Amino acid sequence: MLSIRLSIVFCLVLNSCLFSQNDTREGEEAVEFYDVGFISISPYYPIAIGDNFASKAQNTNLGAQLESRFVIADHILIGARLNIFSGQVTKPELVGNYDLRNVNLIGIEAGYRIPTLKNFNLSFLAGIGAIEYRNDVDGEIFEDTGEAYSLMADADYKFSRHFSAFLTAEYRYESLNTKAPNSTVAFNKASYIVLSLSLIHISEPTRPY
């Protein structure tokens, strides 16, 4: 149910962001694209940390993230995101003999953007999402689900009229519904540090004529 609700919210935020790109009130100056919102696709690289199955018995691969954000009032940000990455089980003796196919997250986020210099900004956000681990045992797929909670900080720099670069650092904590009472490692939680770098094309909103 949480995944369905977040999917609906993701679509609503994405549509709002798309429509807001060209929304300029009559008589006002057109604003910069990120003063309204943006949509980005970026690499997503999680690094497992802590005492849990992800850090003790798995490797993670570079993934991808689709994200939308927009400003609702005085630098307040809301958004939605979808990310995916894959990995490999490196120590089956600790977690069992299965293959990790991919890890999916769909979630929402909110935060505050701090303008610092003319073309440079800092943003701090918190997010929540539905998480799903898809695993394979001899061709049969099984899933582990739960919730993910994130704290994010990013810096964006507008280096030309139409392009900005974003560098994002994220701490992600996962609370999973997996039960493994006889395991020597924790299966009901996982923690990651995530790094992401993206390049955004800025399309200026249409001015009214």
Side-chain angles (χ1 to χ4, degrees), residues 78-99:
I78 62 172
R81 62 183 182 145
L82 170 67
N83 59 58
I84 181 171
F85 65 88
S86 61
Q88 300 84 32
V89 175
T90 57
K91 294 183 179 179
E93 66 273 16
L94 291 180
V95 297
N97 190 20
Y98 66 91
D99 294 323

Side-chain angles (χ1 to χ4, degrees), residues 6 9 17 19 46 60 83 104-105 112 114 137 149 168 179-180 190 208:
L6 288 174
V9 173
C17 187
F19 283 115
T60 55
N83 59 58
N104 309 317
L105 179 145
Y112 189 79
I114 304 173
V137 178
Y149 307 91
T168 303
K179 297 187 186 332

Side-chain angles (χ1 to χ4, degrees), residues 9-24 31-41 66-72 78-80 200-201 203-206:
V9 173
F10 183 87
C11 293
L12 291 173
V13 172
L14 191 62
N15 285 331
S16 299
C17 187
L18 284 169
F19 283 115
S20 67
Q21 293 175 19
N22 294 319
D23 182 17
T24 305
V31 295
E32 296 271 346
F33 182 56
Y34 186 39
D35 288 334
V36 178
F38 70 84
I39 300 173
S40 70
I41 299 176
L66 171 65
E67 182 180 21
S68 69
R69 272 188 215 168
F70 66 97
V71 181
I72 56 173
I78 62 172
I200 296 176
H201 179 261
S203 300
E204 294 178 355
T206 305

